Every structure is written in C-alpha cells, then in structure tokens.
Amino acid sequence: MSFKTWFVKRSPLPEMWREHMAEYYAPKNFNIFYYAGSLLLLMVVLQFLSGFLVLAHYIPSVRDAYDSVYGIMYDVHYGWLMQYMHVDGVSLIFVLLYIHMARGMLYGSYRAPRELVWVIGYTIYLAFMAEAFFGYILPYSNLSYWAGTVITSLFKSIPFIGEWVTTLVRGGSGMSGDTLDRFMALHVTVVFMVIVGLIVFHILYLHKVGSNNPDGLEIKANKGPDGHPVDAIPFHPYYSVKDLFGFGVWLFIFAAIIFYAPTVHHIFLERTMSTPANPLKSLPDVTPPWYLSPFYAMLRAIPNKNGGIILMVVAVVFPFILPWLDRNPVISTRYRPITRIMLIIFFANFLMLAYLGEQPPLPKYFILERVGAVIYVAFFILLPFVSKFEPTRTPPARVRFRAH
Ligand code: HEM
C-alpha cells in the first residue's frame, strides 16, 4: 500500500478538504466584500501568534504589568513589532467584522436558511468585545485602570445581585491584582477558545446551507447535468487563489499601519495607554475604544444610569433577532430600494454614534446621541413593517456576473 493510500484510509482530512474546499460550490458573483471573511480568519491566526509572543514577556501583576509591556516595546528584540501587531490587529479585526456584518445586512445573508450562521457570527462579535475588553486591562495603564473601573461598575445595575456580581468580576471591591489575574485567564484561555470554537461552527453551519450572494439568489435551485449549481464554482482553486491575493494586499495595508502609523492618530492606541495605572489620578472622561463607542454613545443618551444601560443592552441584543424581523420574500437589498436606503442611514448613523462616543459629555453632543439612539432602534422596529409592504424589483433568474 502506498503511503498516500494508507494515509487516505485513516485520515478524515482528505474528505474534509473535498467537502469544504475542492467540492464546496460557491456562487460565482462574489465581490470585494467577500474578502472580509477569509481576512478575519487570517487576522485571528496572526492575533494568536503575536499574542503568544507578547505573552512570553508579559508579567500579570499590578506592580510589573505596565513595566513589562514597556519592556516589550523597548527592550525585547522586535518586541515593538509583536506589540503593534497585537494592538493594531484588534482594531483591524473590528474593521473587518463591521464590513463582514454590513455585507451580510446588504445582501440578506442573515435570512433563512442562514439564520444560525448569522446568530453564531454575532455571538463571535460579542465574544470579541469581551476579549478586547479583557486585553485592554492587561497593560495596567491609567486608561486600563479607569476603563476597567467604569465598565465593571456597570454590573452594579443588575437588580439584587449587582454588588455581588461586580465583586466577583473584579475579584474584590476595586481593581486589583486579582482582577488582572482573572482577566488574563479569561483573555488567553476561555474567551479565546470560545471564539475559535464558534468560528469552526460558523463555517460548518455556513457550508451545510451554502453561501448567499449579492443577488440573494438560491444557487442550489438551478443545477446543471453534472449535479452542481450552474451559477457556482468550486471554492478551491478559484476562491482559494482569490483569497490568497486578498491576503497579500491586506498584509501590505497591515504592515503600512504598523511601520508608519501604529497608533493611527491615537485611534488604535490611545495616549492614556502610555501612563501607568494611578488610582489617585482619575481620567476626566474615559471613553471606550472606537469599536465599542457607538454603544457607549447610546448609554450616555439617557441621563438616568439604569435607563442608559437598558438601552445599551437592547441595542446590543437587537441584531440577534434580525433574521426574524425581515419578512420580505426578496433577500438581497439590491432589489429592495427602501430597505437599502434604511440600511445606508443605519450605517451612517452607526458611524456618527462611534464619533459621538469618543467626545466629551457636552450638551451639543447629547442631543445628537439621542437622535442617533432613536435612529438605531427605529431601524429594527420599522423593519418588520417596511419589509412586509415595500415595493421590490424582480431579481434576475441567474446571478449577475461579469467575466473579466
Ligand atoms: C472572526 C470572526 C468571523 C470569521 C472568521 C468569519 C468567517 C466567515 C467566513 C470565512 C465566511 C464565508 C466567506 C464569506 O462569506 O465571506 C463567513 C460567512 C458569513 N458570516 Fe462570518 N465570520 C466572522 C464573524 C461574523 C459575524 C460577526 C457575523 C454576523 C454578525 C457573521 C456572519 C456571516 C454570514 C451571515 C455569513 C454568510 C455570508 C453569505 O453567505 O453571504 N460572521 N464568515
């Protein structure tokens, strides 16, 4: 028996390769937005690598954490590269997550039969928020200290058990070495493993039902004599090669940021990350990183603390039920102009909220934050009605595809 036959008989890998790569038929009209999924996979691997390297030099103790991170930057060989890869990687992952989700909303990829692909994906997004928050605390800078204090104090609003939960999360009454220990454990083990597990499920669930496409057409409905959808091509080699090209272009962008603008005007790495934690020197306004600030803006939109928290939780939870709010038989917003306009307003409003969440708490921003919160919530409340009654255009019988 040749080595190849011996291996093929024992290993599930060749079968998995066939099922998920060589014989996974994907629609031939994917566009540039379809790079985000594979780029996210690449970024998660790179984040693991850079995280592993910084972890080798990081000391999780209140006394040494900040100095160890400083040491990685200035003393460790290529420490600055590992550090910037890890820090900038977070923001870039969120850039890709937002592109990936926006694509899903534009083309109706959350609709049946892909509801669970969406729900698992959105859970990954929430897990990334938690992962980023725990990582944010680890350098024990002054921003880490005060951001940790503010965010953990939100748990105090839970009725009856709020104080107890806050103490449990912090490992004491305030931020301390115990907080650092548990956040570090969560950051490098539990939450990271949950993210990896969910990504595996995300792709398995997608491959069970098949990919959507910009036209929102069900490609399996139109099969050729060979039994394969006429509007699809095997993922490997066609899309695998295309994704490799995407990796190349993306790595140039990633490298350019790391080498020439690693803090991206202090949006990717805030100034207050460069001073050690000081419980006696509170920061005037602690704002979260840009990727969480839309939700923070909504939290601030209501002057009552508990009211703000409820609005923020509702805003975070709404996208989960998106698949069940949309009731139009046409899937892609290419053929639903009203939903498309609503989505464009929704995206622009989300960007405005992100900007507002980074601003100091002034009355002029407060009014806009309220308007932004209303538009955000209105989108989800109006969708079931608009999607039911909106006029649509007839989608084409075959996917629209321009050969180059
Ligand atoms: C690290 C996180 C993620 C990774 C690695 C990832 C990976 C992927 C990949 C490789 C695909 C197939 C290629 C493509 O359609 O682009 C995909 C599809 C999809 N993802 Fe994600 N994803 C992530 C997060 C998310 C999130 C946060 C959501 C939504 C909230 C989401 C929703 C979807 C949907 C609906 C599809 C099907 C798209 C279609 O068929 O048109 N994903 N994802």
Side-chain angles (χ1 to χ4, degrees):
M1 197 190 313
S2 71
F3 174 76
K4 194 179 160 196
T5 326
W6 175 84
F7 183 76
V8 168
K9 277 195 165 166
R10 279 152 185 78
S11 169
L13 293 180
E15 230 164 76
M16 286 165 72
W17 173 264
R18 262 202 314 277
E19 194 180 331
H20 298 290
M21 298 290 288
E23 285 172 23
Y24 178 71
Y25 276 75
K28 53 181 163 189
N29 58 338
F30 279 177
N31 58 20
I32 191 167
F33 293 120
Y34 280 77
Y35 280 114
S38 56
L39 291 178
L40 275 166
L41 285 175
L42 171 73
M43 289 306 285
V44 171
V45 173
L46 292 182
Q47 206 63 11
F48 175 77
L49 270 179
S50 58
F52 171 76
L53 292 171
V54 284
L55 188 62
H57 302 277
Y58 170 75
I59 307 170
S61 86
V62 166
R63 215 179 48 152
D64 299 316
Y66 184 81
D67 288 346
S68 72
V69 172
Y70 196 87
I72 295 168
M73 207 63 177
Y74 293 101
D75 298 335
V76 174
H77 278 295
Y78 289 100
W80 58 271
L81 182 59
M82 305 171 204
Q83 184 92 349
Y84 281 147
M85 260 179 88
H86 206 63
V87 170
D88 292 335
V90 180
S91 277
L92 291 178
I93 284 180
F94 276 95
V95 168
L96 290 171
L97 280 172
Y98 285 126
I99 294 174
H100 193 65
M101 289 195 272
R103 184 277 317 257
M105 291 171 89
L106 274 173
Y107 300 147
S109 304
Y110 53 84
R111 299 286 301 276
R114 296 176 195 84
E115 304 95 317
L116 290 178
V117 181
W118 174 264
V119 169
I120 296 172
Y122 194 68
T123 316
I124 301 178
Y125 167 66
L126 296 188
F128 260 116
M129 283 188 179
E131 181 73 343
F133 168 68
F134 294 133
Y136 213 64
I137 307 305
L138 297 185
Y140 224 59
S141 66
N142 213 21
L143 183 58
S144 310
Y145 182 87
W146 289 104
T149 306
V150 172
I151 299 292
T152 51
S153 72
L154 293 180
F155 290 106
K156 285 190 183 162
S157 302
I158 303 175
F160 309 115
I161 51 166
E163 284 293 336
W164 179 79
V165 174
T166 312
T167 310
L168 180 76
V169 172
R170 289 179 179 162
S173 57
M175 297 288 289
S176 68
D178 293 326
T179 325
L180 215 51
D181 286 344
R182 59 194 58 199
F183 283 12
M184 155 103 171
L186 286 164
H187 184 73
V188 302
T189 62
V190 179
V191 184
F192 184 72
M193 279 154 62
V194 166
I195 289 176
V196 173
L198 285 171
I199 291 175
V200 172
F201 277 102
H202 187 58
I203 297 186
L204 288 179
Y205 273 64
L206 173 70
H207 284 197
K208 161 96 183 161
V209 291
S211 298
N212 183 33
N213 57 80
D215 282 321
L217 299 179
E218 185 44 79
I219 53 159
K220 284 183 192 158
N222 189 2
K223 287 190 177 159
D226 58 358
H228 298 305
V230 289
D231 280 331
I233 44 176
F235 188 86
H236 178 77
Y238 300 107
Y239 281 120
S240 47
V241 167
K242 191 164 175 268
D243 282 344
L244 272 181
F245 168 74
F247 284 6
V249 174
W250 180 256
L251 289 176
F252 265 110
I253 298 171
F254 193 17
I257 290 175
I258 293 173
F259 296 145
Y260 296 110
T263 72
V264 189
H265 288 283
H266 295 281
I267 299 172
F268 283 15
L269 180 59
E270 294 89 337
R271 278 202 178 81
T272 34
M273 269 292 187
S274 316
T275 40
N278 187 349
L280 299 177
K281 194 167 173 249
S282 67
L283 295 171
D285 15 79
V286 187
T287 53
W290 69 268
Y291 42 84
L292 302 182
S293 59
F295 297 104
Y296 183 64
M298 286 191 257
L299 174 95
R300 282 200 312 201
I302 295 188
N304 172 291
K305 188 181 170 196
N306 286 348
I309 293 178
I310 291 170
L311 175 65
M312 186 179 73
V313 172
V314 168
V316 170
V317 171
F318 251 139
F320 264 125
I321 54 168
L322 190 59
W324 296 277
L325 295 179
D326 191 340
R327 300 194 285 174
N328 198 293
V330 177
I331 285 191
S332 172
T333 66
R334 261 192 184 171
Y335 306 103
R336 297 167 53 182
I338 297 182
T339 305
R340 177 160 274 202
I341 291 169
M342 273 172 61
L343 268 178
I344 290 169
I345 295 173
F346 179 82
F347 296 150
N349 181 57
F350 198 74
L351 289 178
M352 179 185 82
L353 284 169
Y355 170 79
L356 294 172
E358 293 297 325
Q359 303 311 311
L362 299 175
K364 60 175 176 178
Y365 298 127
F366 180 62
I367 295 163
L368 282 176
E369 278 170 353
R370 287 193 149 185
V371 173
V374 169
I375 295 177
Y376 183 96
V377 174
F379 172 80
F380 292 99
I381 293 179
L382 291 179
L383 189 62
F385 306 103
V386 174
S387 61
K388 188 147 174 116
F389 300 111
E390 76 186 304
T392 55
R393 292 195 283 129
T394 316
R398 299 276 304 269
V399 299
R400 286 195 310 181
F401 171 68
R402 199 155 32 98
H404 293 285

